[in-house]
Amino acid sequence: MAIEHDFFGLLESGPDGSIFWSETVEFGDQTVTVDLTAPDQDDVSPAALDVAAAMVSSLEGIDLAARNAMVSELDDRTSEVTEYLLQQQEALGTELEELLVDISGDVQIDIIRSLQLMSMTILADEHGGSDPFAVLEYALDPDATDDVLLVNLSSDGDVQSVTSAD
């Protein structure tokens, strides 16, 4: 079986009923991998695909909301964002400045600005549920795939949480 959608095209299911779509999209001066997945195509509604398409189309606004959510967690010294930033500062030391796109004097803000959006994974079967509908993956160093921050979004585009991959 398959599902057809104006934005995603023909989404064919695998032998186990799962669907998967992947595309690389241009975002600013970088490319972002966008994956749409669901373990059972029967759990994917046309509304979920419409929301997913809107998210991909408005990636710039979603990225801004995700970065603002990271900034809002800087007041909490025990937040995963703060711990991630401190870990990056410690691990990179003087090499950190080479990865920053802007140096304003506020190192934590500079790191958040310099994070690269690596991927967006849309869990199409989670539309309207309490689990994340989309997960954005950010890394300061694209080669350090273990050192990432994950921003979990609900199907209405609100940030649910920001976690580290550790």
Side-chain angles (χ1 to χ4, degrees), residues 1 7 19 83 88 98-99 102 112 115 120 122 141 157:
M1 286 190 51
F7 183 87
I19 60 170
E83 290 179 18
Q88 291 298 304
E98 296 171 22
L99 297 172
D102 186 31
I112 291 172
L115 290 171
M120 174 186 216
I122 300 168
D141 180 357

Side-chain angles (χ1 to χ4, degrees), residues 74-90:
L74 293 178
D75 291 340
D76 181 358
R77 296 190 55 77
T78 61
S79 76
E80 292 194 44
V81 173
T82 302
E83 290 179 18
Y84 173 84
L85 297 177
L86 292 172
Q87 183 262 338
Q88 291 298 304
Q89 287 174 274
E90 183 179 318

Side-chain angles (χ1 to χ4, degrees), residues 51-152:
V51 169
M55 284 184 164
V56 175
S57 298
S58 62
L59 195 54
E60 188 173 324
I62 287 174
D63 173 62
L64 180 61
R67 291 176 195 270
N68 286 339
M70 290 179 213
V71 170
S72 70
E73 291 200 15
L74 293 178
D75 291 340
D76 181 358
R77 296 190 55 77
T78 61
S79 76
E80 292 194 44
V81 173
T82 302
E83 290 179 18
Y84 173 84
L85 297 177
L86 292 172
Q87 183 262 338
Q88 291 298 304
Q89 287 174 274
E90 183 179 318
L92 295 168
T94 57
E95 296 173 20
L96 177 63
E97 274 193 29
E98 296 171 22
L99 297 172
L100 300 178
V101 295
D102 186 31
I103 299 177
S104 69
D106 186 335
V107 177
Q108 292 183 327
I109 296 293
D110 293 345
I111 292 173
I112 291 172
R113 282 187 193 147
S114 301
L115 290 171
Q116 292 184 39
L117 177 57
M118 305 302 293
S119 68
M120 174 186 216
T121 302
I122 300 168
L123 308 164
D125 59 319
E126 296 297 339
H127 181 254
S130 59
D131 288 335
F133 179 72
V135 179
L136 305 175
E137 179 182 334
Y138 288 89
L140 186 58
D141 180 357
D143 297 326
T145 56
D146 292 337
D147 295 331
V148 298
L149 279 176
L150 304 173
V151 178
N152 298 305

